[in-house]
Each structure stands twice: as C-alpha cells, then as structure tokens.
Amino acid sequence: MFDVNKVDAIIEKHGAEQRALTAMLQDIQGEYNYLPREALEHLAQKMKLPLIQVYQVARFYRAFSLEPRGKHSITVCLGTACHVRGGVAVADQVGRLLGIKPGETTKDRRFSFDTVNCLGCCALGPVMVVDGQYYGKMAASKVERVLAKYSGEEVATNA
C-alpha cells in the first residue's frame, strides 16, 4: 500500500533534483517491488516535473515495473549459448508450470517471469535465475524442482 511518508523520505534522501530521478525510482521500486501510480504522481508533484516525464523514465528502463511484481523473480536466459542448449524449453516449462508468459506475474503474486537476451554466463547455459540465485545447465525437467524451493510447496501444473 502506498505510503506518502516513504516516498517523501526517498525524495528527501536524494534532494528532489531531477538528475536523481532514476535513483529515486529505484528506491521506490525497492520499497514496493514496482512503481505504484500514486507514488509516481506524488514524486512528479514534489519534483515539479510533468507526470509524463516521470513515466517516460520509468518506461524507458526495463528494470522498472509499473505492474506489481511477484515475491519471487524468475529470469531465463535466451542468449545464443542458452538458446542452442535448451533455454527455450526451460522458459516454456516455467511458463507452463506457472501459467504465465514472460513479462507476467502469477495471480497470487508469488512469481514474476521474464526472459533476457544474455546473463553473461554463457558457459553455464542454459541459465535460470530465481531471486538472484543462478541455476546453470538447466533443463526443462529440473524447473519444477527449482520452483518448488521457492513456493514452499509443489508447483501446481496446468497440464
């Protein structure tokens, strides 16, 4: 839930200067796990910036999310090395098990799922990352076991 005091503290920390907009957006996302509309409106008002300018920055960087994110973040690499070693099958399995597509969050907000073009660890491919924990040499058959570690229970399949 949006708390104006938390956003005010973030603005005060950075001095409400336009050059700190990205840092403030990072802090707000760190607080809420996404950028709530109310927080962006408040930030724009306090910084005396047009709201569209704040949204432009928030939408420009892929690291920012305007939609609520899941408790756990899953990323599957689809770079060349991961792709040829089965990254697509890993991504497909994640999507099948969670019932979501890349860029989406499960309805219970336990998981958000994204794909990226390269994670920079090609020798480990295919790679899946959950909450910053790298799982190298992944296979579609290993996905359910990895997800179960984060769900605290077996992942319900949609098959």
Side-chain angles (χ1 to χ4, degrees):
M1 175 164 254
F2 173 66
D3 181 348
V4 70
N5 295 324
K6 288 181 180 177
V7 175
D8 283 342
I10 290 168
I11 294 169
E12 187 173 319
K13 173 183 165 189
H14 293 284
E17 295 185 32
Q18 188 173 349
R19 66 180 178 196
L21 179 58
T22 305
M24 286 187 266
L25 292 174
Q26 287 175 318
D27 286 357
I28 292 169
Q29 182 157 297
E31 185 68 42
Y32 295 101
N33 208 17
Y34 79 108
L35 298 172
R37 179 182 54 83
E38 299 86 354
L40 298 182
E41 290 171 350
H42 185 72
L43 181 63
Q45 182 182 23
K46 287 291 217 178
M47 294 184 65
K48 298 183 171 81
L49 292 173
L51 181 58
I52 187 69
Q53 186 173 345
V54 175
Y55 268 101
Q56 285 173 334
V57 173
R59 291 186 54 102
F60 180 79
Y61 294 103
R62 190 172 176 185
F64 293 129
S65 176
L66 298 174
E67 301 294 326
R69 305 285 295 167
K71 178 179 177 185
H72 302 289
S73 175
I74 302 166
T75 304
V76 175
C77 182
L78 295 181
T80 303
C82 290
H83 180 84
V84 299
R85 294 177 183 153
V88 173
V90 171
D92 287 347
Q93 183 68 356
V94 171
R96 256 192 307 277
L97 290 171
L98 298 178
I100 57 175
K101 298 174 185 169
E104 294 181 345
T105 299
T106 56
K107 289 180 182 174
D108 62 5
R109 291 194 183 162
R110 280 199 288 174
F111 296 98
S112 290
F113 169 43
D114 290 296
T115 58
V116 295
N117 292 331
C118 187
L119 289 169
C121 49
C122 301
L124 299 175
V127 175
M128 180 169 107
V129 180
V130 182
D131 295 343
Q133 175 71 44
Y134 282 64
Y135 294 90
K137 305 205 182 293
M138 277 297 295
S141 61
K142 297 177 181 177
V143 171
E144 187 169 2
R145 187 175 37 215
V146 171
L147 295 181
K149 291 179 184 177
Y150 296 91
S151 67
E153 57 195 51
E154 290 299 316
V155 176
T157 62
N158 294 325

